Amino acid sequence: MTDPTLDRTELTARLSEQWDAIAALVTDLDETQWRTPTSLPGWSVFDVVAHVVGTESWLLGERPPPHDPTTVKTDVRTLPHIRNETGVLNEIWVDRLRPLSGSRLLAEFREVADRRRKALAAMGEQEWQAQTQSPIGQVSYGRFMRVRLFDCWMHELDIADALGVRVDEGGRRGEPAFTEFLGSVPRVVVKKGGAPEGSRITFTLTGSLARTLHIQVAGRAGYVDAFDEPATVEIALPSEVFVRLGGGRTSADEHLDAITVTGDTELGQRLVHNLAFTI
C-alpha cells in the first residue's frame, strides 16, 4: 500500500507551506529578536533560519558562502554540540551566514525556497522514487523530503518557542511531519529507554496531534493496533511535550505535571527521560 504521506504532489505542497510558515514567523522581527536564543545549543532564531537556508541551498547543489574576512573564523569542529559530519556542514552554513542582517537572511530564505519549489515541481516520479543518501540513510528522494518537512516543522516550533508565540502543530503539515517523527520512537524506547523484551508500552497523546500509540517489544520494537495482554506501562502526555522530548528540546523534569505514568512506573520514567533522538 502506498504511503499517502509520501505522495509527491501532496508532500511538495506541504513543504512549500512549511517554508511560508517559517517566513511568516520571522517577517516582522527586529535585529534583537532575530538573535533570540532557542533551545538548540548555540543557535538563535537567526541561526535556525540560516540552517534551513543552508540545507535547501545544499540540496540545490550549492556550497556555503566564503568566510567573511572581517569576522573571526570559527573552527566548528571544536563546538561541543557538533557530533558528526552533518553537524559540521550545518554549522559551517550557519557560521558563514551570521554576518547578514535578519532582513537580508529572510530575503535569502525566500529566494532559496522559491528555487526549491521550482526544482521539486520539475521533478518526475522516477526521480522522486530514486534512492538517495539522507540523514536517515539510503532512502527514496520522496522519503528524504518527508524528513525535510519534519526538520523544517521542528524548526518552526523552535522559533515559535523562542519567541513565545503559539502555532498550529497539527494539520496538513504537522501530520506528515509527525509520521516521520513517530518512525523512530520504537527504536528509541529500546535503545535509549531500555524497554526489555516483552514490554507493552502505550503512549496516550493529547493536544494538536492526539492519538494512542501501542509499542510492543518482541524481538524488536514496533507499533501494534492492540495488545493481547494489559500494557506494561501507560504514559499520558500532551503531543507538544512528546515532540519536544523526542527532539531533545526539553527534559521530562520540566514537564512532570503534564506526564502521567501508570503500570511499571520505573520503566515509564526511564522512557520519558530518554526519548531524545534528533538533537
Side-chain angles (χ1 to χ4, degrees):
M1 181 177 178
T2 302
D3 186 339
T5 67
L6 297 178
D7 177 79
R8 180 166 57 92
T9 301
E10 176 70 14
L11 187 47
T12 55
R14 301 295 80 80
L15 260 174
S16 180
E17 291 174 3
Q18 185 59 65
W19 295 326
D20 286 342
I22 291 173
L25 265 181
V26 300
T27 292
D28 296 322
L29 300 186
D30 60 32
E31 284 302 317
T32 300
Q33 291 171 310
W34 270 105
R35 308 296 169 167
T36 303
T38 71
S39 59
L40 298 173
W43 280 11
S44 65
V45 168
F46 181 101
D47 298 335
V48 171
V49 177
H51 161 60
V52 179
V53 170
T55 303
E56 301 306 335
S57 298
W58 173 76
L59 285 166
L60 290 166
E62 298 170 7
R63 297 175 61 84
H67 172 252
D68 181 347
T70 66
T71 64
V72 176
K73 191 169 186 178
T74 302
D75 181 358
V76 301
R77 293 179 184 276
T78 67
L79 298 174
H81 56 275
I82 300 302
R83 300 176 182 176
N84 51 43
E85 289 305 309
T86 298
V88 169
L89 180 60
N90 289 341
E91 201 69 37
I92 288 173
W93 272 100
V94 170
D95 185 64
R96 300 285 174 83
L97 291 170
R98 275 197 184 110
L100 301 180
S101 66
S103 59
R104 174 66 186 280
L105 180 69
L106 178 56
E108 295 271 349
F109 176 83
R110 285 175 168 151
E111 189 269 341
V112 75
D114 283 344
R115 289 192 290 124
R116 283 283 288 137
R117 288 184 181 100
K118 292 174 183 175
L120 290 170
M123 183 171 287
E125 191 62 28
Q126 186 172 352
E127 295 171 281
W128 187 256
Q129 298 296 340
Q131 294 292 298
T132 187
Q133 192 60 36
S134 81
I136 60 170
Q138 195 83 0
V139 295
S140 69
Y141 193 85
R143 175 70 188 281
F144 187 8
M145 290 306 97
R146 195 175 74 182
V147 174
R148 288 301 308 134
L149 176 63
F150 162 66
D151 186 62
C152 292
W153 174 73
M154 282 292 298
H155 289 318
E156 178 192 358
L157 305 187
D158 293 330
I159 295 168
D161 289 350
L163 297 175
V165 301
R166 292 185 62 83
V167 294
D168 181 8
E169 301 190 16
R172 297 191 304 176
R173 291 181 288 110
E175 286 292 339
F178 194 51
T179 296
E180 184 61 45
F181 173 93
L182 291 177
S184 296
V185 174
R187 173 180 56 83
V188 171
V189 301
V190 172
K191 289 190 174 295
K192 297 193 68 176
E197 177 71 15
S199 297
R200 297 173 300 281
I201 303 155
T202 295
F203 287 99
T204 301
L205 307 181
T206 58
S208 303
L209 293 159
R211 67 203 62 202
T212 299
L213 307 170
H214 300 297
I215 299 173
Q216 185 154 350
V217 184
R220 59 184 300 178
Y223 292 109
V224 295
D225 293 333
F227 301 131
D228 294 333
E229 302 177 62
T232 307
V233 63
E234 298 182 28
I235 303 168
L237 72 168
S239 63
E240 292 82 0
V241 174
F242 188 62
V243 165
R244 286 160 179 78
L245 290 174
R249 270 65 170 177
T250 190
S251 69
D253 288 337
E254 297 180 61
H255 304 278
L256 294 180
D257 60 339
I259 302 172
T260 302
V261 178
T262 55
D264 186 338
T265 55
E266 191 279 330
L267 173 59
Q269 290 297 330
R270 194 165 71 241
L271 294 177
V272 298
H273 281 84
N274 292 279
L275 277 175
F277 65 89
T278 67
I279 200 168

